[in-house]
Amino acid sequence: MRDIIRMIVVLGVLAAVSGWLLWAVKMGTASQIEYQQLKFVKGPAIKNILEGCTNDPLVDRFKIKDGEVERSFYVGVFDGKANAVAYEAFGKGFGGDVGIMVGVNIETDELLGIGVTTHSETPGLGSRAKDDPSFGAQFKGMSITKPFKVKPDGGEVDAVSGATVTSRGVCAGVTDSEAFYSKLKPQIIEQAKAFAK
């Protein structure tokens, strides 16, 4: 009986030490993992949208709590002014959620561009919403405050050929993002000021 108790105690201590080590490794590498995901998954879209900024938007970023959701904003500095942000929104595509990076000039509310970050769309069809730069380029200069629709639905956006559902999902995601952008805009402006050079 004594041996069994000793074995249980030893196993308990080993399990506790192992659990603590795993927690410590996870916490110690969390920011590095987040930065790597940013750099290789969202980073290309962010840098493309904020092209020409004089800072590194992957480093100059902040988060704002929006109810239960914590939203990340990536700051672009142009002519010394931190007047642009990019943030991620989501639309519904043919294969599931489509992640969309949306860049906005916070002084004019004009879109600087959009870029698809993640998707499960059909290769060669819906995936072209990410791969075809002319699709995202259509949004540049449009106001975030108005709804976005593809031309067959009465809007101004040319759908990607053969991927109307994906194109509608991207338009809906950008349109829906206006609600939280407008709600959080005072906080966005205040936090972005810290990155002015």
Side-chain angles (χ1 to χ4, degrees):
M1 184 69 181
R2 201 170 162 186
D3 289 341
I4 292 173
I5 292 172
R6 184 180 300 155
M7 188 172 68
I8 290 172
V9 170
V10 169
L11 285 175
V13 169
L14 285 175
V17 169
S18 299
W20 181 84
L21 278 174
L22 287 172
W23 175 84
V25 169
K26 181 182 176 190
M27 296 309 289
T29 58
S31 62
Q32 292 170 328
I33 290 171
E34 183 184 11
Y35 184 76
Q36 291 300 314
Q37 287 175 339
L38 270 177
K39 187 174 179 181
F40 295 108
V41 178
K42 299 174 187 175
I46 293 169
K47 291 203 167 186
N48 186 44
I49 290 168
L50 299 176
E51 186 177 13
C53 67
T54 55
N55 65 320
D56 183 352
L58 301 187
V59 175
D60 294 345
R61 62 185 196 268
F62 59 87
K63 295 181 180 183
I64 297 177
K65 196 86 172 161
D66 180 20
E68 297 295 314
V69 181
E70 190 172 59
R71 301 191 186 278
S72 294
F73 294 87
Y74 309 92
V75 180
V77 177
F78 295 88
D79 296 326
K81 295 190 291 185
N83 57 1
V85 294
Y87 59 83
E88 194 169 36
F90 293 91
K92 198 76 175 166
F94 186 76
D97 285 342
V98 177
I100 310 148
M101 195 58 66
V102 181
V104 184
N105 181 319
I106 57 177
E107 292 177 342
T108 63
D109 290 336
E110 286 184 355
L111 288 181
L112 299 170
I114 66 138
V116 172
T117 55
T118 56
H119 67 83
S120 301
E121 303 300 284
T122 308
L125 292 175
S127 66
R128 288 171 43 215
K130 178 178 181 178
D131 303 331
D132 183 353
S134 65
F135 176 68
Q138 299 176 77
F139 293 80
K140 189 172 184 176
M142 293 181 173
S143 173
I144 185 69
T145 58
K146 69 176 194 175
F148 296 89
K149 292 180 181 176
V150 292
K151 286 184 177 174
D153 297 337
E156 299 176 33
V157 177
D158 282 315
V160 174
S161 179
T164 305
V165 173
T166 307
S167 303
R168 283 184 176 131
V170 170
C171 287
V174 177
T175 299
D176 292 347
S177 76
E178 186 275 335
F180 71 78
Y181 165 77
S182 293
K183 183 173 74 173
L184 301 175
K185 188 176 176 184
Q187 294 170 262
I188 294 170
I189 291 172
E190 194 58 37
Q191 295 223 27
K193 283 180 185 173
F195 300 97
K197 309 281 180 186

